[in-house]
Amino acid sequence: MSSQGLRIPLPVARGARWTGIGLPTLLATLLGATGAAYVAVTLPDAYRASLAVAIGLNLIVLGMKWPRAAALATILFLPFLGLVRRLLIFETGWSANDPLVVVGPGVALFLFYRLYVLEDRKLGTDLLSKLVLGLLALELLQLVNPLAGGGVLANLGGLIFLGVPLLWFFVGRAVGDAGSVAFLVRASIVVAAIVALYGLFQTEWAPGERLPSWDQEWFEVAGYAALKVADSADANNTVRAFSTFPSNGEYSNYLAFALVFIFAIVLHRRAWSPLLLVPLLLVAVFYSGGRATMALAGMAIVVLTGMRTRNGIAATLVIVAGVASVFALASLLGPRLDQAAGVSGDAIASRNVQGFLNPLDPSGSGVARWANFVGGIEDGFRNPAGQGTGASNAAGSKLSDSSKGTRETDNDISDVFLSLGAVGGIAYIAIIVLVFRTVFRRYMSTSSWLLFAIMGALIVMFGNWLNGGMYALSALTWFLIGWATRPDLDLPRPRGEAAEDRDAPRVVPPAEAPA
């Protein structure tokens, strides 16, 4: 690997080799760390900023020599970022524009610079990477788009939601390998078990109020009304858990990720110990109240079961039969489930059952989500130049200098149409189709359990791939996509091969990848 900066030889452990680091970067890092320590001691009001600098600099220093380790550490830290922010409320108060939010984007930007500028790696080597680059270019153009509302600051903030996840795609391509992806899959299951316990603690086991004091304070200050169960007689205390995350949606999606990862490990690797965590994760995801997430997780299990046959006709029959079985069971058992949920007095259980049995109820969220989805796409064609990267997310409402505000459509496809116009929306749909096509074809030809697990995660996360408000999951999703679609994909050998052959990585030739 080559570096364009000054190389500084530093003493390292025997057998290790230090890759070049620019002298200005090293000095800036040392000065920044010193400044952060000083602020933390002398200026308590700046705890958030100093902590953000300290965490970010540690990850950047790690990434100077070990970019893969820095990427994995950041992705596994982000699930706990929401809790860290809330624990500081009593010391520093709450800030909607929290500097801790930029830790993940800062590390992603540094790794992109480290890997593709200093090392001069190639970016657009295949159609998918060219489309992702094109989407990033459209987002940057929104900063100077005279027709975009909200102003430059709002659109710059909007890049955190729509642009930063795409940087993780290129990071995954550069440093991802079969070993690191397998580690992420297994580590995500462990993290999910931890956050599930905390989520259940929030809603079921916390003494006094349902929420711990720091979470309750955030709930009241931030005004997260969507957490309340509207049909509850005790709406002040009946809230959906959000665990260590900034939102209930990301919490429930993370649990669903773990469930499909466990399904992949059990079905492919014949490893049964992860099944011990399934009851915990199922209870937690049910009481998170994420009905759309549970539906997508169920769909992912059905699709993966069909894929496991590795036969197109058989897979189609399994998927159709699985979907038909779900509807049949809903028709047969629905009234009894509805009655049991009502008798139980559990507001979350009642809400979930009613939502599943009546998805087209005009008073429910399903119809409103569909209307938002269609409306966002229509806006993209009415305003083909786009309305700015801050038009469809919280950056517009917090940083906008316009009275127009934002319109969050609850789906990343319609968000992209709204923000980037018809061209950006069509390009993003092409990216989605190409990703699914590539992962599916590669699994059918290799039977890799990692690709199997990633396909399940893509289905669970569908509609939120480019939702940068889900700090942890958007980074994890695009890192996995970057690795799974790279032209020179490395895969472990199937279990049936000889041990000496199985240990060597198997490279999928470029001919197997789409043009």
Side-chain angles (χ1 to χ4, degrees):
M1 295 183 294
S2 64
S3 173
Q4 302 301 317
L6 173 66
R7 290 180 179 271
I8 303 177
L10 295 174
V12 295
R14 189 183 337 187
R17 182 179 179 184
W18 185 274
T19 57
I21 296 177
L23 179 59
T25 303
L26 181 60
L27 292 177
T29 301
L30 293 175
L31 289 174
T34 304
Y38 173 80
V39 169
V41 172
T42 62
L43 301 173
D45 292 341
Y47 275 170
R48 288 183 183 274
S50 59
L51 183 59
V53 170
I55 295 174
L57 284 176
N58 274 282
L59 291 170
I60 287 173
V61 169
L62 181 65
M64 287 178 176
K65 184 177 181 183
W66 299 292
R68 179 182 293 118
L72 299 182
T74 303
I75 290 172
L76 294 177
F77 161 72
L78 290 175
F80 302 97
L81 179 61
L83 178 60
V84 171
R85 295 173 62 196
R86 293 193 292 271
L87 288 172
L88 294 174
I89 288 179
F90 293 113
E91 294 293 333
T92 66
W94 177 252
S95 173
N97 300 317
D98 192 339
L100 283 165
V101 172
V102 302
V103 169
V107 174
L109 189 60
F110 168 78
L111 290 176
F112 182 85
Y113 171 78
R114 159 82 165 76
L115 296 166
Y116 289 96
V117 178
L118 292 183
E119 295 187 11
D120 197 25
R121 296 177 185 240
K122 293 182 179 180
L123 280 170
T125 57
D126 62 315
L127 176 59
L128 180 58
S129 60
K130 291 174 182 176
L131 284 171
V132 174
L133 275 176
L135 199 63
L136 267 173
L138 285 174
E139 293 177 2
L140 291 174
L141 285 174
Q142 292 298 322
L143 297 177
V144 295
N145 179 5
L147 302 178
V152 174
L153 187 59
N155 290 321
L156 188 62
L159 288 176
I160 293 178
F161 293 86
L162 293 180
V164 168
L166 300 180
L167 295 180
W168 287 106
F169 167 83
F170 292 105
V171 173
R173 286 215 156 180
V175 303
D177 59 14
S180 60
V181 170
F183 170 78
L184 270 181
V185 168
R186 295 186 174 98
S188 297
I189 295 173
V190 175
V191 171
I194 295 171
V195 300
L197 289 171
Y198 187 76
L200 291 173
F201 173 77
Q202 283 179 327
T203 57
E204 300 299 323
W205 302 329
E209 292 181 324
R210 290 284 181 106
L211 297 175
S213 58
W214 49 88
D215 290 331
Q216 184 68 31
E217 184 73 15
W218 172 78
F219 175 70
E220 294 173 355
V221 172
Y224 195 175
L227 289 178
K228 292 183 179 181
V229 181
D231 57 354
S232 168
D234 186 16
N236 288 326
N237 280 336
T238 304
V239 297
R240 291 180 290 149
F242 45 92
S243 189
T244 62
F245 296 89
S247 70
N248 165 265
E250 185 169 20
Y251 168 53
S252 60
N253 272 275
Y254 206 96
L255 297 175
F257 259 53
L259 286 169
V260 298
F261 286 164
I262 290 174
F263 184 75
I265 291 174
V266 170
L267 204 61
H268 260 274
R269 311 289 289 176
R270 300 295 190 269
W272 308 109
S273 56
L275 287 174
L276 297 174
L277 296 176
V278 169
L280 168 67
L281 296 175
L282 284 176
V283 171
V285 76
F286 181 81
Y287 278 99
S288 73
R291 295 172 295 191
T293 300
M294 287 184 276
L296 286 172
M299 178 60 69
I301 298 297
V302 171
V303 171
L304 292 179
T305 303
M307 284 177 57
R308 190 68 181 97
T309 66
R310 299 184 63 195
N311 179 283
I313 297 176
T316 302
L317 291 176
V318 170
I319 293 171
V320 171
V323 173
S325 299
V326 170
F327 280 101
L329 286 173
S331 299
L332 291 174
L333 304 178
R336 294 183 180 180
L337 289 174
D338 196 12
Q339 182 179 9
V343 171
S344 70
D346 191 307
I348 295 178
S350 179
R351 175 185 179 277
N352 288 343
V353 171
Q354 290 176 12
F356 281 127
L357 297 181
N358 304 286
L360 300 180
D361 186 350
S363 62
S365 61
V367 174
R369 287 176 181 269
W370 176 253
N372 287 338
F373 173 73
V374 174
I377 295 177
E378 291 175 345
D379 281 345
F381 284 99
R382 282 195 293 263
N383 302 279
Q387 299 182 36
T389 53
S392 59
N393 49 65
S397 59
K398 295 176 181 178
L399 304 173
S400 175
D401 56 9
S402 169
S403 60
K404 186 176 181 180
T406 61
R407 176 183 174 185
E408 298 185 33
T409 66
D410 301 317
N411 186 285
D412 61 352
I413 296 176
S414 49
D415 280 348
V416 173
F417 269 94
L418 177 67
S419 298
L420 307 182
V423 174
I426 293 172
Y428 184 52
I429 290 176
I431 290 171
I432 293 173
V433 172
L434 195 53
V435 168
F436 272 123
R437 176 175 175 263
T438 303
V439 175
F440 177 79
R441 285 188 170 186
R442 287 184 166 182
Y443 171 75
M444 296 301 281
S445 64
T446 64
S447 191
S448 165
W449 77 275
L450 293 175
L451 293 174
F452 191 75
I454 290 172
M455 176 61 81
L458 294 177
I459 296 173
V460 168
M461 196 65 173
F462 187 72
N464 284 300
W465 290 9
L466 209 54
N467 183 352
M470 295 187 177
Y471 310 125
L473 281 180
S474 60
L476 175 59
T477 299
W478 284 99
F479 184 94
L480 295 177
I481 291 174
W483 172 79
T485 61
R486 58 186 295 178
D488 56 339
L489 179 65
D490 63 304
L491 289 172
R493 298 278 178 171
R495 283 193 165 193
E497 298 185 7
E500 60 271 19
D501 295 329
R502 190 170 63 243
D503 293 337
R506 181 163 54 96
V507 177
V508 177
E512 292 185 22

